[in-house]
Amino acid sequence: MRGVALGVQDYFLLGGRALRFAVSRPFYWRDVVTQMDRIGVGSVPIVLLTGLFTGMVLALQSSVELGKFGATLYIGNLVGASMVRELGPVLSSLAVAGRAGSGIAAELGAMRVTEQIDALETMGTDPIKKLVTPRLVAAVITMPLLTIIADAIGILGGLIVAALRVQVPPDTYLRGVGFTLAQSGFVGHFFPRDFVSGLLKPVVFGALIALTGSYYGLNTGGGTEGVGRSATRAVVVASMLIFATDYFMTQLLLVALPPGP
């Protein structure tokens, strides 16, 4: 139990130092751009597939249930709300955790067991500022963008199923998506509330993915076998943190951004 408590303490200390270094010189902007390419651009294909098939399955399942009440015209309402509020942010974050989170842990773990991180410290370079902060900044910037892609492609997937299999007119489907988002209320009289809350979550999820991967990578031991263990643990722990944080953030956002009348 004491070991778990110390691990949690080290995790939050790592997060605090990485955030502090994000606003202090020197800035490793080139490393940030490199990580944005690896975490963000590299994750686009898996996010596209995740969003597309999620939207298609949602439309397919909802058509069965709504069809019992002759309400298949509301498929767009259901798919739009589900993708933007929950499934887009959570599923895209889980996909990135599986791909990029494990990659961060494996990369830093390999640097640890080959003593490259020790070499950085010997040269006077803080490994947290050089290695962790760029990955944290890159993940926080790219996760909301990946979520927008997942939301859009999920709604498109639902449109394909609704139009081709359920014969719902595309304009009716899209009107349902827009109506549902508008019905949730607006932030600043312009941005739909669901859209704003759906983009706040990926910012936190991105930070969790980068910090969890970095924590297990920096604490890797046991040679190449230990690198594999760190990558696996990073994915498992990041996924659990995403689910738990999603619940508490939803509670908080319901209070901070109450639904419209």
Side-chain angles (χ1 to χ4, degrees), residues 1-15 211-212 215-216 219 237 241:
M1 192 65 189
R2 185 171 179 272
V4 174
L6 290 175
V8 173
Q9 174 183 288
D10 290 343
Y11 183 89
F12 281 104
L13 287 175
L14 174 67
L211 286 177
T212 305
Y215 173 78
Y216 282 103
N219 289 284
V237 173
L241 288 175

Coordinates of all heavy atoms in Angstrom, one line a residue, residues 1-15 211-212 215-216 219 237 241:
M1 N 0.8 -1.2 0.0 CA 0.0 0.0 0.0 C 0.9 1.3 0.0 O 0.6 2.2 -0.7 CB -0.9 0.0 1.3 CG -2.0 1.0 1.2 SD -3.2 0.7 -0.1 CE -4.1 2.2 0.0
R2 N 2.0 1.2 0.8 CA 2.9 2.3 0.8 C 3.5 2.6 -0.5 O 3.7 3.7 -0.9 CB 4.0 2.1 1.9 CG 4.9 3.2 2.1 CD 5.8 3.0 3.3 NE 6.7 4.1 3.5 CZ 7.9 4.2 3.0 NH1 8.3 3.2 2.2 NH2 8.7 5.2 3.2
G3 N 3.8 1.5 -1.2 CA 4.4 1.6 -2.6 C 3.5 2.3 -3.5 O 3.9 3.1 -4.4
V4 N 2.2 2.0 -3.4 CA 1.2 2.6 -4.3 C 1.1 4.1 -4.1 O 1.0 4.9 -5.0 CB -0.2 1.9 -4.1 CG1 -1.3 2.6 -5.0 CG2 -0.2 0.4 -4.5
A5 N 1.0 4.4 -2.7 CA 0.9 5.8 -2.4 C 2.2 6.6 -2.9 O 2.0 7.7 -3.4 CB 0.8 5.9 -0.8
L6 N 3.3 6.0 -2.8 CA 4.5 6.7 -3.2 C 4.5 6.8 -4.8 O 5.0 7.8 -5.3 CB 5.8 5.9 -2.8 CG 6.1 6.0 -1.3 CD1 7.3 5.0 -1.0 CD2 6.4 7.4 -0.9
G7 N 4.0 5.8 -5.4 CA 3.9 5.9 -6.9 C 2.9 7.0 -7.3 O 3.2 7.7 -8.3
V8 N 1.8 7.1 -6.6 CA 0.8 8.2 -6.9 C 1.5 9.6 -6.7 O 1.3 10.5 -7.5 CB -0.4 8.1 -6.1 CG1 -1.4 9.3 -6.3 CG2 -1.2 6.8 -6.5
Q9 N 2.2 9.6 -5.6 CA 2.9 10.9 -5.3 C 3.9 11.2 -6.4 O 4.0 12.4 -6.9 CB 3.7 10.8 -4.0 CG 4.5 12.0 -3.6 CD 5.3 11.8 -2.3 OE1 4.7 11.8 -1.3 NE2 6.6 11.5 -2.4
D10 N 4.7 10.3 -6.8 CA 5.7 10.5 -7.9 C 5.0 10.9 -9.2 O 5.5 11.7 -9.9 CB 6.6 9.2 -8.1 CG 7.5 9.0 -6.9 OD1 7.7 9.9 -6.1 OD2 7.9 7.8 -6.8
Y11 N 3.9 10.3 -9.5 CA 3.1 10.6 -10.7 C 2.7 12.1 -10.7 O 2.9 12.8 -11.7 CB 1.9 9.7 -10.8 CG 1.1 9.9 -12.0 CD1 1.4 9.1 -13.2 CD2 0.0 10.7 -12.1 CE1 0.6 9.2 -14.3 CE2 -0.8 10.9 -13.2 CZ -0.5 10.1 -14.3 OH -1.2 10.3 -15.5
F12 N 2.2 12.5 -9.6 CA 1.7 13.9 -9.5 C 2.9 14.9 -9.5 O 2.8 16.0 -10.1 CB 0.8 14.2 -8.3 CG -0.6 13.7 -8.5 CD1 -1.0 12.5 -7.9 CD2 -1.5 14.4 -9.3 CE1 -2.3 12.0 -8.2 CE2 -2.8 13.9 -9.6 CZ -3.2 12.8 -9.0
L13 N 4.0 14.5 -8.9 CA 5.2 15.3 -8.9 C 5.7 15.5 -10.3 O 6.1 16.6 -10.8 CB 6.3 14.7 -8.0 CG 6.0 14.9 -6.5 CD1 7.1 14.2 -5.7 CD2 6.0 16.4 -6.1
L14 N 5.7 14.4 -11.1 CA 6.1 14.4 -12.5 C 5.2 15.3 -13.3 O 5.7 16.2 -14.1 CB 6.1 13.0 -13.1 CG 6.3 12.9 -14.6 CD1 7.8 13.3 -14.9 CD2 6.0 11.5 -15.1
G15 N 3.9 15.2 -13.1 CA 3.0 16.1 -13.8 C 3.2 17.6 -13.4 O 3.2 18.4 -14.3
L211 N 1.5 11.8 -19.6 CA 2.1 11.6 -18.3 C 2.2 10.2 -17.9 O 3.3 9.7 -17.3 CB 1.3 12.4 -17.2 CG 1.5 13.9 -17.3 CD1 0.6 14.6 -16.2 CD2 2.9 14.3 -17.0
T212 N 1.2 9.4 -18.2 CA 1.2 7.9 -17.8 C 2.3 7.2 -18.6 O 3.1 6.4 -18.0 CB -0.1 7.3 -18.0 OG1 -1.1 8.0 -17.3 CG2 -0.1 5.9 -17.5
Y215 N 5.7 8.4 -17.2 CA 6.0 7.9 -15.8 C 6.5 6.5 -15.9 O 7.5 6.1 -15.3 CB 4.7 8.0 -15.0 CG 4.8 7.3 -13.6 CD1 5.5 8.0 -12.6 CD2 4.3 6.0 -13.4 CE1 5.7 7.4 -11.4 CE2 4.5 5.4 -12.2 CZ 5.1 6.1 -11.2 OH 5.3 5.5 -9.9
Y216 N 5.8 5.6 -16.6 CA 6.2 4.2 -16.7 C 7.5 4.1 -17.5 O 8.3 3.2 -17.2 CB 5.1 3.3 -17.3 CG 4.1 3.0 -16.2 CD1 2.8 3.7 -16.3 CD2 4.3 2.1 -15.2 CE1 1.9 3.5 -15.3 CE2 3.3 1.9 -14.2 CZ 2.1 2.5 -14.3 OH 1.2 2.3 -13.3
N219 N 10.5 5.1 -15.3 CA 10.7 4.2 -14.2 C 10.9 2.7 -14.7 O 10.6 1.8 -13.9 CB 9.5 4.2 -13.2 CG 9.5 5.5 -12.5 OD1 10.3 5.8 -11.5 ND2 8.6 6.5 -12.9
V237 N -3.2 1.5 -17.4 CA -3.4 2.6 -16.4 C -4.0 3.8 -17.1 O -5.0 4.4 -16.5 CB -2.1 3.0 -15.6 CG1 -2.3 4.2 -14.7 CG2 -1.6 1.8 -14.8
L241 N -7.6 5.5 -16.1 CA -7.7 6.9 -15.7 C -8.7 7.7 -16.6 O -9.4 8.6 -16.2 CB -6.3 7.6 -15.8 CG -5.3 7.1 -14.7 CD1 -3.9 7.7 -14.9 CD2 -5.8 7.5 -13.3

